[in-house]
Amino acid sequence: MPSTTAPLDLLLLPEWIVPVEPAGVVLRGHALGIRDGRIALLAPRQQALAIPARERRELPGMLLAPGLVNAHGHAAMSLFRGLADDLPLMTWLQEHIWPAEAKWVSEDFVRDGTALAIAEQVKGGVTAFSDMYFFPQIASEVAHGSGVRAQITIPVLNFPVPGAHDTDEALRHGLELFSDLRHHPRIKVAFGPHAPYTVSDDRLERVRVLAEQLDAGIHMHVHETAHEVQQALEQHGERPLARLARLGLLGPRFQAVHMTQIDDHDLALLVQHNSSVIHCPESNLKLASGFCPVERLWQAGVNVAIGTDGAASNNDLDLLGETRTAALLAKAVAGSATALDAHRALRMATLNGARALGIDDECGSLEAGKSADLVAFDLGGLAQQPVYDPVSQLIYASGRDCVKHVWVGGKALLEDGRLTRVDEDELLDKARAWGTKIAGA
Ligand SMILES: [Zn+2]
């Protein structure tokens, strides 16, 4: 253990600190110290200033919070942003997205699309994201180089996918990736069976066995629409979540994405197995998929995280905006203005996301010993005045342009709104070149 009297690498002096844990706390006149990439100190300003530090940084008018966790997305699909809009889910998937993927998705597509997605997310205060897409080894390389934290999932479907002829090959690649990244400080590999209607029982069995052996997460779209549940009932006489429970997939490692359809039995299963739900409100709204009953889940004790979904169905990776949508929508769905208040909304976008991805020992809140994954939000704008409660101002009155600084593991990825590791012009050129190619086809 480092000596507590060793100098801090960096001492941050913001106007407010919201640690998220303990819940509902706003610290004023406090400072956060970083040593060896970890939070070494959270203390009153005067006390903190007595400790030697290599660098001290005043952050006037800024709120320091844990980095945002985007718990569901398809990063490389950013290159399909706006390709097909205003369509129902199955038409969008079957007539537009799947054919475009068959035609365009390659290692280069995933490399460039993932880089674009990560850059957009870091600029919006995201320090950890989950990715469900093809060529996971390429996505993990990009995530590694970017400095962000990621959960990369191994795609499992009944049909061939880009990069794998069948499930055997996809799992073989996935297991190699798992072994390569087993000790990676920022990247975790999980299984990503696409959805109950695209993955057979025998494949799900294999995922279950491997996930148990490797203690890995299982990340899956579940109950995205009423149609999905209805079709499963007609074909198999069983709701999809009940089928997953019967196959043994549910557990604390299980991450159920969407869950717009929840009956009493579904809720009991989620509670009993301590599984997480990942709410993607804007994707659900845009595809008219339905509404996840966030407040009901929360009150029952289910861990609810939030995700943007892919940029092809959202159309941005703005987790702060998504959180605002979630806070507003939860009230409408619950019929109660007290549902998902601003502090709980921020918790959903940070600690709950980390918990869903199984990385809450490492990040998600500002506690001594955790990785210094932080965002400084500037609440000094006209539209944010006056500031009575900075968390209310952040959730209800701020856009992602207020994200000024982002650190992951104490390393600055965004300085004064500028990406430190990415040439933005080069990224823009590549994204435009893909757009021209795809649009011209
Ligand atoms: Zn999705």
Side-chain angles (χ1 to χ4, degrees), residues 302-324:
V302 176
N303 181 55
V304 188
I306 182 164
T308 56
D309 214 342
S313 65
N314 183 312
N315 293 355
D316 58 34
L317 308 181
D318 175 2
L319 201 76
L320 186 59
E322 195 82 28
T323 305
R324 180 188 195 177

Side-chain angles (χ1 to χ4, degrees), residues 79 116 426-436:
L79 292 175
L116 177 66
E426 192 186 318
L427 205 58
L428 282 166
D429 286 346
K430 280 187 182 167
R432 287 184 185 129
W434 276 107
T436 306

Side-chain angles (χ1 to χ4, degrees), residues 72-74 132 221 224 257-258 309-310:
H72 178 68
H74 313 275
M132 182 189 231
H221 299 109
E224 183 166 0
V257 182
H258 296 308
D309 214 342

Side-chain angles (χ1 to χ4, degrees), residues 21-36:
E21 183 63 47
V25 168
V26 177
L27 301 170
R28 289 177 173 80
H30 277 59
L32 182 142
I34 300 168
R35 190 187 291 121
D36 298 327

